[in-house]
Amino acid sequence: GRVLRGWHADCPDAPGEFSKVEVPLDSAGALRDAVATFAAVPVRGEALPGATGGALSFLVPGQSQAGLAVPVTVEGRVVAVVYGDEGACDDREVPGSWPESIQILARHAASVLAALTARRAAARALGTLPRAPHEEGGAGGLT
């Protein structure tokens, strides 16, 4: 849709209930650019504007730091954006390998989501959707 929703944040400055954070895509700066271009976008402090109501202020890298927003695509659609940055450590490796790690994470997430999507589509086509654990006392899975 037109809204980015928080899922998980591994950052001490992240809001306690990050999964409840919602930011209009049009106000998401570099994250919006990653969605629009289907490409990794470098993030600088000014790239995440105050228009997000401060919801993403914890993502803003410092003056000498860099961040990266990488789209996760499934079937030609961006379904998520993975963001990472150098963090606040003073003894970081230069050049660092973290940008490649963020891109690998996003590609892996896309592969897993594509496989799950294909599995569900096949189950629907066969009429064998996975059961929920509470249904018929089963443990779930394909029937």
Side-chain angles (χ1 to χ4, degrees), residues 18-63:
F18 184 64
S19 63
K20 293 184 179 182
V21 170
E22 291 190 359
V23 175
L25 187 59
D26 293 337
S27 302
L31 303 181
R32 173 201 58 230
D33 297 344
V35 171
T37 64
F38 287 76
V41 175
V43 177
R44 300 280 181 229
E46 69 278 359
L48 295 171
T52 64
L56 301 179
S57 62
F58 72 98
L59 296 179
V60 178
Q63 291 289 346

Side-chain angles (χ1 to χ4, degrees), residues 108-122:
H108 177 69
S111 296
V112 170
L113 290 172
L116 288 172
T117 301
R119 181 177 170 193
R120 285 188 180 196

Side-chain angles (χ1 to χ4, degrees), residues 51-79:
T52 64
L56 301 179
S57 62
F58 72 98
L59 296 179
V60 178
Q63 291 289 346
S64 63
Q65 297 172 321
L68 188 67
V70 182
V72 175
T73 59
V74 176
E75 296 182 2
R77 291 182 37 214
V78 175
V79 297

Side-chain angles (χ1 to χ4, degrees), residues 63-132:
Q63 291 289 346
S64 63
Q65 297 172 321
L68 188 67
V70 182
V72 175
T73 59
V74 176
E75 296 182 2
R77 291 182 37 214
V78 175
V79 297
V81 178
V82 176
Y83 170 83
D85 61 39
E86 296 175 301
C89 63
D90 294 327
D91 61 344
R92 63 184 175 258
E93 187 180 314
V94 178
S97 61
W98 66 267
E100 289 82 9
S101 297
I102 299 298
Q103 291 183 9
I104 289 168
L105 176 64
R107 276 187 241 132
H108 177 69
S111 296
V112 170
L113 290 172
L116 288 172
T117 301
R119 181 177 170 193
R120 285 188 180 196
R124 281 193 186 105
L126 295 171
T128 58
L129 285 174
R131 289 184 312 192

